[in-house]
């Protein structure tokens, strides 16, 4: 399996529409990438830091793919530009994207 984590760092004055992200954007991701190997897409809302302070991230998503080839196909496939363009509809935060492999 292969994984992508997308995190949105918290910053003063940032805009992030959690409802749009969870209900619309992630649904678009699931629909666009299901046939190319996306197994799961989970969304999390930042609540707080461990010490009770503000959450360092507003939100994050973890995408699971059947393997690295499927993940690369999604990142470079025809759906990618549309999904990237949709980000402006829910946030002005530049996401941090990290790729992981199991094991």
């Amino acid at each position: 399996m292969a994984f992508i984590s997308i995190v949105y760092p918290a910053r003063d004055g940032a805009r992030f529409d959690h409802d749009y992200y969870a209900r619309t954007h992630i649904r678009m991701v699931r629909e666009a990438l299901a046939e190319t190997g996306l197994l799961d897409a989970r969304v999390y809302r930042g609540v707080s830091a461990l010490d009770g302070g503000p959450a360092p991230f507003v939100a994050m998503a973890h995408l699971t793919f059947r393997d690295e080839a499927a993940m690369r196909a999604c990142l470079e496939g025809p759906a990618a530009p549309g999904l990237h363009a949709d980000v402006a509809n829910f946030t002005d935060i530049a996401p941090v994207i990290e790729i992981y492999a199991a094991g």
Side-chain angles (χ1 to χ4, degrees), residues 10-101:
R11 65 173 170 73
D12 289 339
R15 176 183 64 81
F16 196 95
D17 184 338
H18 288 279
D19 289 333
Y20 184 93
Y21 186 59
R23 293 186 181 146
T24 303
H25 184 73
I26 294 300
R27 183 184 38 126
M28 289 172 58
V29 168
R30 286 183 178 121
E31 290 172 359
L33 305 182
E35 292 184 22
T36 56
L38 178 70
L39 300 176
D40 191 28
R42 296 184 182 241
V43 175
Y44 303 92
R45 182 189 293 237
V47 176
S48 73
L50 187 59
D51 65 3
F57 301 102
V58 174
M60 62 178 56
H62 299 295
L63 309 180
T64 305
F65 297 88
R66 75 172 165 262
D67 56 31
E68 188 174 347
M71 179 198 63
R72 294 281 175 200
C74 291
L75 291 173
E76 299 162 3
L83 295 174
H84 290 291
D86 189 57
V87 171
N89 290 323
F90 62 87
T91 191
D92 57 4
I93 299 170
V96 175
I97 302 171
E98 200 164 72
I99 296 171
Y100 302 90

